[in-house]
Amino acid sequence: MTTLDNERRLALLTPPTGKVRVVLDTDTYNEIDDQFAVVQMMLSRDRFDVEAIYAAPFLNARADSPGQGMEMSYDEIHRLLERIDVAADGLVYRGVTEYVGFEKKPREAAAVDHMIERARAGTPEDPLYIIAIGAISNVASALLKAPDIIDRVVVIWLGGNALDWPRSFKKNAEFNLKQDIGGAQVLFDCGVPVVLVPAMGVTSHLISNVPEIEKEVEPYGAIGAFLAQRFKEYSTDHFGWSKEIWDMAAVAWLLEPEWTPSIIVPTPILTDTIGWETDSSRHAMRYVRYVDRDAILRDFFSKLRQFAETK
């Protein structure tokens, strides 16, 4: 099994410069934030060499099973790409239909095999950055199936709440984490370099509202109208209402690290009951402490406007 010493892990966890190889793992139909993250990534081609977008599973009121959630996300990715004139063939892959679970069983999917292939095409000096903004099942399956890739990938995952988030308040049952606790345990325990982007207490600051979306997003092309529709239909009561666009923060860490200040901390132990436990002897990860909401959205609004004006 591939192992990383502290020096090599810290080198991989250093924010990269120049253009980077990325894949995006996304439960795109689960909410409204993945859609914004997909578009911001795809409109940032000067920074990203996008090698794939993977549909991740999810289960909630919108989907009867994780597999159905994955299929709905797969279809939503196509709707987004169509509106920004990007061909989906050879870029979009179906993910797993079951969670890794506590048995730590890798699941089979085209996304898993493609992720392994792209990871093995890299090196520790030119790693594949896996931006994961859904349940971690595709990524955990790849890590279980091909543990040799851990020295040539960096996983940026939006999952869980802040490490010091009070368990008495909404606990740690953040959606991405609670979907596949076993998969998340694989991520934290296997030694792969991880950049953790928490939800409550960090990216909960990354919000917008209907007046802002109507002014800065809706007028700008078919994709702007589509994103505005998704944003507004999420709630039927817009009075005094704002909405987190959580997943943009994971893309933002690679776009400009100053927008998501982070520190090096020991990787937490994730308990079966979704608790964080600390052990200072564990391997290091990078931990995002704050998001610059204004900088992230200014970047998105500017790129969306520029895209619409050049069409």
Side-chain angles (χ1 to χ4, degrees), residues 56-59 63-71 96-99 179:
F58 73 88
L59 172 63
D64 294 332
S65 68
Q68 184 186 34
M70 184 279 294
E71 286 290 344
V96 302
T97 59
E98 298 177 87
Y99 300 128
Q179 292 282 292

Side-chain angles (χ1 to χ4, degrees), residues 192-259:
V192 71
V194 173
V195 179
L196 182 62
V197 188
M200 294 302 296
V202 179
T203 54
S204 47
H205 179 62
L206 184 50
I207 62 173
S208 189
N209 54 50
V210 169
E212 183 175 54
I213 294 297
E214 288 181 335
K215 181 176 185 292
E216 304 295 351
V217 175
E218 193 164 23
Y220 297 104
I223 188 59
F226 182 78
L227 292 173
Q229 175 192 347
R230 285 286 187 257
F231 188 95
K232 291 194 284 187
E233 69 188 8
Y234 193 78
S235 174
T236 58
D237 183 4
H238 297 158
F239 180 70
W241 179 73
S242 64
K243 175 72 188 77
E244 303 90 352
I245 319 181
W246 322 86
D247 290 338
M248 295 176 78
V251 174
W253 184 82
L254 275 177
L255 273 177
E256 176 47 71
E258 290 185 0
W259 297 345

Side-chain angles (χ1 to χ4, degrees), residues 2-79:
T2 304
T3 59
L4 278 175
D5 59 35
N6 191 54
E7 183 178 358
R8 288 196 297 161
R9 178 175 288 103
L10 291 178
L12 284 163
L13 289 173
T14 300
T17 58
K19 198 167 186 178
V20 294
R21 303 169 53 233
V22 301
V23 295
L24 181 69
D25 189 62
T26 162
D27 59 345
T28 328
Y29 196 73
N30 163 50
E31 224 207 72
I32 61 95
D33 51 337
D34 294 73
Q35 292 90 328
F36 283 76
V38 170
V39 173
Q40 188 169 28
M41 179 187 71
M42 296 304 298
L43 297 184
S44 302
R45 291 305 188 97
D46 58 332
R47 174 62 164 161
F48 297 140
D49 180 7
V50 180
E51 299 191 357
I53 304 176
Y54 306 129
F58 73 88
L59 172 63
N60 62 11
R62 294 186 171 199
D64 294 332
S65 68
Q68 184 186 34
M70 184 279 294
E71 286 290 344
M72 296 169 80
S73 294
Y74 181 81
D75 291 342
E76 184 81 343
I77 295 166
H78 282 75
R79 285 188 281 269

